[in-house]
């Protein structure tokens, strides 16, 4: 036997294939009829999967559909009616198919799969199942069977819910879905496979437990082990690998019937009735205990749901406050963004004017430098011409002086002035005073003009250097202003963009850029 590959898919496919179209209209008809078990049904409905989202609301669709199905079956099967635990099986089916099909599949399981027979004749078939389970344990788990025999722990004390509710009352839904799939696929005897798998996996713990500890283990600890889907899947694989021959089950059933007949023949009717009464009292006490456990679980679940609801409401209040604060910060951020946009526009205008002013200054400075260069060029050419003219005049003066016998002694051929003896100077002074004075005056004028020209040239070069330096400074300032403007403009745009997406940090991290900062 192989486990179903998909739990929910298998349940839906098999369940819908069992649905009888002839009974699809019976559910509404039977649900409309009054039932004597309405009180019991209503009480059990509130205890059926109280933590599940579909069934937790008293006035929800889940409880309403579940009530209709259970009530319809109680009217449909007037011999047995509604029995405690049927609501869990109906709820499992209802999670996989519509309300009408759930009723049809429930009828199929009760009648054709034999679950209904377990409730008949004072649970006689159910006790036969217990006997078969104990015989299988004696064969496959002899040490555990011996331990239970020493503790006087009988199968009906822990396995009644397994057979009557098909494991749906206590175990997690992920495991229940697997079992339901196997039931619909293989039949009611699959319960023995699952029961033996549970006992095998829990054997070590059960061998160390006493009577009360074993009952508590079956009631509390065992279902918790299979809350994980992986654990439930491994259990189903182990259950499918266990062999439970049908011939042996029939053999054990005959043995049970033979023992029952023999016991009835040998037993006094009064003793039999007393024993049956004790058994019924024990079953009643056990059911009451299970009922109390379910009630306690229901109250605990409601308290847990209430606490969870309070926490969710508190969290919702906190989130609403945060939302309001976020909206306020968003408004403030939008206002800040608008103000920064205005400041950015003002800065752009200021930078544009400054840039135009700087470009105008650069043009003026460039024009002045060009004029100074032109003036310097003109002065240089004029100086060169004057030097050439002065040299020509000096050559003329030199040639005239050298041609004169009286002045030859004054100037040598190389041009320097020789100082003559006082006697000679006195004799010749009177002769060339006028010409000498005129020549000397002309020479001094030429030297003075040359010195002034050189001085003007030096001043022009200094002025050119100063203008070049000013031009470089202005270019640096313009470039710095451009870089500062672009960087601050881009930074402002990035800040504005980040402010719209991260409003909680923008108002604290970035301040407005003033025009003073932009132009500094």
């Amino acid at each position: 036997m192989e486990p179903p590959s998909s739990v929910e898919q298998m349940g839906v496919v098999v369940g819908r294939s069992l649905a009888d179209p002839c009974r699809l209209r019976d559910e509404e008809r039977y649900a409309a009829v009054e039932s004597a078990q309405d009180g019991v049904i209503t009480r059990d409905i509130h205890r059926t999967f109280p933590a599940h989202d579909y069934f937790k609301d008293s006035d929800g669709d889940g409880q309403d559909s579940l009530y209709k199905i259970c009530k319809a079956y109680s009217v449909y099967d007037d011999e047995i009616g509604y029995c405690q635990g049927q609501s869990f099986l109906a709820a499992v089916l209802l999670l996989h198919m519509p309300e009408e099909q759930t009723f049809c599949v429930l009828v199929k399981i009760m009648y054709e799969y034999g679950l209904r027979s377990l409730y008949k004749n004072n649970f006689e078939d159910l006790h036969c199942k217990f006997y078969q389970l104990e015989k299988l344990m004696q064969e496959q788990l002899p040490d555990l069977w011996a331990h239970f025999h020493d503790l006087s722990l009988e199968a009906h004390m822990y396995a009644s819910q397994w057979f009557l509710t098909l494991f749906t009352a206590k175990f997690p839904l992920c495991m229940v879905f697997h079992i339901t799939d196997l039931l619909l696929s293989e039949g009611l005897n699959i319960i023995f496979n699952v029961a033996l798998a549970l006992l095998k996996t829990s054997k070590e713990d059960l061998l160390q437990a006493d009577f009360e500890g074993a009952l508590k283990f079956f009631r509390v600890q065992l279902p918790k082990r299979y809350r994980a889907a992986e654990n439930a899947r491994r259990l189903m694989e182990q259950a499918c690998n266990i062999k439970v021959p049908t011939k042996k089950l029939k053999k054990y059933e005959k043995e049970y019937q033979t023992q029952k007949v023999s016991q009835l023949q040998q037993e006094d009717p009064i003793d039999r009735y007393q024993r049956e009464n004790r058994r019924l009292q024990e079953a009643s006490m056990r059911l009451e205990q299970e009922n109390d456990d379910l009630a306690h679980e229901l109250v605990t679940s409601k308290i847990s749901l209430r606490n969870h609801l309070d926490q969710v409401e508190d969290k919702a209040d906190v989130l609403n406050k945060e939302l309001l604060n976020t909206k306020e910060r968003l408004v403030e951020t939008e206002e800040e963004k608008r103000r920064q946009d205005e400041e950015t526009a003002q800065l752009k205008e200021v930078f544009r004017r400054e840039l135009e002013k700087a470009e105008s200054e650069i043009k003026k400075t460039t024009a002045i430098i060009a004029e100074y260069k032109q003036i310097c060029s003109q002065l240089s050419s004029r100086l060169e011409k004057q030097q050439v003219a002065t040299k020509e005049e000096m050559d003329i003066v030199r040639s005239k002086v050298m041609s004169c016998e009286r002045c030859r002694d004054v100037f040598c051929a190389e041009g320097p002035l020789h100082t003559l003896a006082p006697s000679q100077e006195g004799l010749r002074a009177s002769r060339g005073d006028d010409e000498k004075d005129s020549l000397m005056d002309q020479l001094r004028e030429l030297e003075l003009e040359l010195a002034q020209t050189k001085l003007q040239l030096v001043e022009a070069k200094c002025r050119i250097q100063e203008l070049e330096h000013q031009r470089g400074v202005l270019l640096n300032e313009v470039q710095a202003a451009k870089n500062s403007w672009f960087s601050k403009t881009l930074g402002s745009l990035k800040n504005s963009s980040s402010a719209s997406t991260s409003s909680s940090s923008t108002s604290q991290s970035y301040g407005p850029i003033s025009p003073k900062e932009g132009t500094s």
Side-chain angles (χ1 to χ4, degrees):
M1 187 196 325
E2 295 293 334
S5 58
S6 175
V7 177
E8 295 183 350
Q9 183 179 3
M10 183 69 180
V12 171
V13 173
V14 176
R16 288 182 178 176
S17 66
L18 294 174
D20 187 358
C22 297
R23 291 200 187 96
L24 290 177
R25 294 184 298 273
D26 292 347
E27 190 265 341
E28 293 184 2
R29 180 165 58 87
Y30 288 120
V33 179
E34 292 294 332
S35 174
Q37 297 175 305
D38 277 351
V40 179
I41 295 173
T42 303
R43 183 185 63 189
D44 283 356
I45 292 304
H46 295 296
R47 300 174 182 177
T48 304
F49 300 131
H52 197 280
D53 292 338
Y54 189 56
F55 300 107
K56 66 181 181 180
D57 295 332
S58 299
D59 298 329
D61 294 338
Q63 288 196 12
D64 182 62
S65 297
L66 191 58
Y67 170 77
K68 291 180 180 178
I69 293 170
C70 294
K71 181 182 176 182
Y73 184 81
S74 68
V75 176
Y76 178 83
D77 189 354
D78 55 355
E79 181 182 0
I80 294 177
Y82 172 80
C83 297
Q84 189 177 17
Q86 288 180 355
S87 60
F88 287 95
L89 178 58
V92 171
L93 297 175
L94 188 59
L95 290 174
H96 290 83
M97 60 191 70
E99 182 180 318
E100 296 80 3
Q101 291 186 359
T102 299
F103 173 76
C104 295
V105 174
L106 179 62
V107 172
K108 287 279 187 179
I109 293 175
M110 293 296 292
Y111 279 83
E112 297 186 13
Y113 281 78
L115 185 61
R116 180 176 180 271
S117 62
L118 300 181
Y119 295 90
K120 296 173 62 177
N121 299 324
N122 200 17
F123 299 98
E124 190 63 32
D125 286 348
L126 178 61
H127 287 89
C128 180
K129 299 293 184 185
F130 294 153
Y131 178 81
Q132 291 172 326
L133 178 60
E134 289 180 346
K135 296 296 287 185
L136 290 171
M137 284 181 59
Q138 186 178 3
E139 179 184 350
Q140 300 187 20
L141 301 169
D143 49 353
L144 185 60
W145 176 85
H147 181 65
F148 282 3
H149 187 269
D150 294 339
L151 296 177
S152 298
L153 183 63
E154 299 177 1
H156 68 86
M157 297 179 181
Y158 59 86
S160 58
Q161 289 283 351
W162 296 356
F163 286 92
L164 293 177
T165 67
L166 304 180
F167 299 92
T168 58
K170 288 291 185 180
F171 289 88
L173 283 174
C174 60
M175 176 178 168
V176 171
F177 292 158
H178 282 292
I179 296 173
T180 306
D181 289 336
L182 289 173
L183 171 72
L184 296 175
S185 176
E186 304 297 332
L188 195 63
N189 289 338
I190 197 64
I191 299 178
F192 293 109
N193 298 70
V194 179
L196 291 173
L198 288 172
L199 293 171
K200 280 186 177 181
T201 56
S202 308
K203 183 175 69 172
E204 299 299 329
D205 296 317
L206 291 172
L207 287 175
Q208 299 176 5
D210 56 5
F211 182 82
E212 296 293 337
L215 290 179
K216 184 178 180 180
F217 179 84
F218 281 117
R219 188 174 64 254
V220 179
Q221 299 178 16
L222 184 60
K224 290 183 178 179
R225 287 189 173 184
Y226 302 100
R227 289 179 178 176
E230 182 63 23
N231 294 339
R233 186 187 62 79
R234 287 199 294 265
L235 178 70
M236 291 301 103
E237 290 179 353
Q238 187 172 357
C240 292
N241 292 329
I242 295 175
K243 294 182 179 180
V244 181
T246 306
K247 292 182 178 181
K248 281 190 177 182
L249 292 177
K250 291 182 178 180
K251 175 184 175 183
Y252 296 149
E253 183 180 359
K254 290 181 180 180
E255 290 180 2
Y256 176 78
Q257 297 296 339
T258 303
Q259 291 180 6
K260 194 70 176 175
V261 172
S262 177
Q263 184 179 3
L264 289 175
Q265 291 176 353
Q266 297 177 2
E267 189 176 16
D268 185 71
I270 296 177
D271 295 336
R272 185 173 71 250
Y273 290 143
Q274 289 177 352
R275 182 177 55 81
E276 186 68 22
N277 187 29
R278 286 194 303 270
R279 189 177 62 80
L280 291 175
Q281 287 179 354
E282 291 176 358
S284 177
M285 292 177 62
R286 186 178 66 254
L287 292 175
E288 287 179 358
Q289 180 64 35
E290 293 177 355
N291 189 21
D292 293 339
D293 293 340
L294 290 173
H296 177 71
E297 183 179 353
L298 175 62
V299 172
T300 304
S301 300
K302 286 186 176 180
I303 293 174
S304 177
L305 289 174
R306 181 70 258 178
N307 294 333
H308 182 66
L309 181 61
D310 293 339
Q311 293 176 0
V312 171
E313 289 177 352
D314 294 339
K315 187 175 181 180
D317 293 337
V318 173
L319 292 176
N320 287 330
K321 291 180 181 178
E322 292 181 355
L323 179 60
L324 293 176
N325 293 332
T326 303
K327 288 182 178 180
E328 292 177 358
R329 289 196 297 269
L330 180 60
V331 173
E332 293 175 357
T333 304
E334 290 178 351
E335 181 65 23
E336 182 70 18
K337 180 177 177 297
R338 186 187 61 78
R339 188 169 61 82
Q340 288 183 356
D341 290 340
E342 294 178 356
E343 292 181 355
T344 302
Q346 294 176 0
L347 286 173
K348 287 181 180 179
E349 183 64 24
V350 171
F351 288 145
R352 187 184 61 79
R353 291 198 298 267
E354 291 295 329
L355 184 61
E356 291 177 355
K357 183 178 179 181
E359 290 176 351
S360 177
E361 291 292 334
I362 290 174
K363 290 180 180 179
K364 291 180 181 180
T365 304
T366 304
I368 293 173
I369 291 173
E371 291 178 359
Y372 273 105
K373 286 184 177 180
Q374 185 178 1
I375 292 172
C376 291
S377 177
Q378 293 175 358
L379 289 175
S380 297
S381 60
R382 181 180 176 184
L383 180 60
E384 291 175 356
K385 291 179 180 180
Q386 288 181 353
Q387 288 177 348
V388 172
T390 303
K391 185 176 180 181
E392 292 177 355
E393 291 178 357
M394 289 294 293
D395 293 338
I396 294 171
V397 171
R398 187 186 301 276
S399 62
K400 288 182 179 182
V401 170
M402 294 301 294
S403 63
C404 180
E405 295 180 357
R406 291 180 299 177
C407 297
R408 187 180 299 171
D409 295 333
V410 180
F411 294 95
C412 64
E414 288 79 9
L417 180 64
H418 292 276
T419 304
L420 299 178
S423 58
Q424 292 177 354
E425 184 180 357
L427 294 174
R428 297 177 180 177
S430 58
R431 300 177 183 176
D433 285 340
D434 295 336
E435 187 175 359
K436 179 180 177 182
D437 291 339
S438 62
L439 290 174
M440 293 298 293
D441 292 338
Q442 187 176 6
L443 182 61
R444 281 194 296 271
E445 290 178 358
L446 290 173
E447 290 178 352
L448 180 61
E449 186 176 358
L450 180 61
Q452 291 177 353
T453 303
K454 289 181 178 181
L455 179 61
Q456 290 177 357
L457 180 61
V458 171
E459 291 178 351
K461 289 182 178 181
C462 291
R463 181 60 178 169
I464 289 172
Q465 291 179 357
E466 182 179 357
L467 291 174
E468 288 286 351
H469 177 70
Q470 292 179 359
R471 179 176 178 272
V473 171
L474 288 174
L475 289 174
N476 292 333
E477 290 180 355
V478 170
Q479 186 64 31
K482 286 182 178 180
N483 294 335
S484 175
W485 176 68
F486 282 121
S487 63
K488 290 186 177 181
T489 302
L490 292 174
S492 176
L493 293 175
K494 290 179 179 179
N495 294 339
S496 301
S497 175
S498 62
S500 62
T501 57
S502 303
S503 60
S504 60
S505 61
T506 306
S507 60
Q508 298 177 359
S509 301
Y510 298 96
I513 303 176
S514 63
K516 184 177 180 181
E517 294 175 347
T519 56
S520 61

